[in-house]
Amino acid sequence: MTAPLLRARDLTVEVGATRLLGDVDLDVRAGELVAVVGPNGAGKSTLIHALAGDVVPTRGHVEVAGRELRSWSQADLARLRAVVGQDTAIAAPFRVADVVRMGQAPLAGGDDEAVAQALADTQALHLAGRTYPSLSGGERARVALARALVQRTPLLLLDEPTAALDLRHDEAVLGLLKRRTRDGQAVVVVLHDLDAAASWADRVVVVTDGSVAFDGAPAEAFTEERLSAVYGHGVAVLEHPRSGRLLVVPDRGTPLGCIE
């Protein structure tokens, strides 16, 4: 088995007396698509940003390519991992092509062909001449992903990149990420769509209350008992009637949980 491209040990993030993340161990290897799932406030975004080095842990450490994250210069780190957060807003009226081109800043020189390819891969090439603030939420999400892709990093860290996407673009983006792993990239992606995670991920990390409740293959991670307990609502795990694949959906036959 190859050495992990990304490794976290005892990763803990606290703000005052509040623990956002606690004692997390995680390995991610090249060629893996790892989906991070869990309820709101579970610590998923904190985990992504701690892995990226954007959040300084209270305890523990992260290694990228065999070296501690903090030992890399910012320029070198930008060539190792690309990050897409939930907030993709840019107020200035930059053209979409120029926004994507910004992803090449860590690289030597620009590559217009790579910019066009990244936009095509995210089904956003027709937006190249538009200004970024004029885009819809889903269009901005695809452009933000394209900007990360042109960094050409071995590791992608993505926080809910499909949250604003319609069904077609949701599937297209996840299919694109899967193809990237087949080309050797490692992808860690936060998803709220459990069924999509079951279909596309090689591994699923279930996060709740700042801790990893389970880390393993979707078929092992996604049990009705575990998911129902984590989400506080009934979850049905079924076999798709045509494909036989895992199907994960809310069990709407159970009483609805109360929103606190």
Side-chain angles (χ1 to χ4, degrees), residues 95-105 110-112 115 147 150:
R95 291 173 59 250
V96 163
D98 294 329
V99 170
V100 175
R101 194 172 288 109
M102 292 174 189
Q104 295 182 324
D111 185 342
D112 290 341
V115 169
R147 182 175 60 180
V150 298

Side-chain angles (χ1 to χ4, degrees), residues 19-214:
R19 175 173 286 199
L20 303 180
L21 205 65
D23 306 319
V24 170
D25 293 340
L26 181 67
D27 288 348
V28 180
R29 290 175 169 79
E32 280 192 304
L33 195 161
V34 178
V36 180
V37 304
N40 295 145
K44 303 182 299 297
S45 294
T46 302
L47 175 58
I48 286 289
H49 290 290
L51 295 175
D54 298 330
V55 170
V56 178
T58 309
R59 188 176 68 249
H61 69 279
V62 178
E63 296 176 5
V64 179
R67 281 176 50 184
E68 189 164 354
L69 190 70
R70 289 174 290 186
S71 73
W72 292 103
S73 69
Q74 285 301 310
D76 286 340
L77 195 56
R79 288 187 280 269
L80 287 169
R81 59 96 179 99
V83 186
V84 177
Q86 291 184 38
D87 184 5
T88 59
I90 297 175
F94 293 115
R95 291 173 59 250
V96 163
D98 294 329
V99 170
V100 175
R101 194 172 288 109
M102 292 174 189
Q104 295 182 324
L107 307 175
D111 185 342
D112 290 341
E113 185 176 338
V115 169
Q117 186 61 58
L119 284 168
D121 286 345
T122 56
Q123 299 186 1
L125 186 57
H126 64 290
L127 303 172
R130 291 265 302 274
T131 60
Y132 189 84
S134 74
L135 304 181
S136 71
E139 290 169 338
R140 292 183 186 190
R142 281 149 45 212
V143 170
L145 177 58
R147 182 175 60 180
L149 295 180
V150 298
Q151 282 184 238
R152 298 178 180 175
T153 58
L155 174 64
L156 288 173
L157 301 171
L158 312 171
D159 191 3
E160 297 188 42
T162 62
L165 301 185
D166 60 33
L167 176 64
R168 177 170 71 93
H169 290 111
D170 187 318
E171 288 291 291
V173 162
L174 291 171
L176 169 62
L177 296 178
K178 188 68 172 181
R179 291 193 299 276
R180 287 282 176 150
T181 64
R182 289 170 180 159
D183 291 336
Q185 276 187 306
V187 178
V188 183
V189 55
V190 173
L191 295 175
H192 274 300
D193 186 338
L194 298 178
D195 191 56
S199 296
W200 294 105
D202 299 300
R203 280 172 46 218
V204 176
V205 176
V206 182
V207 179
T208 183
D209 295 327
S211 299
V212 173
F214 193 87

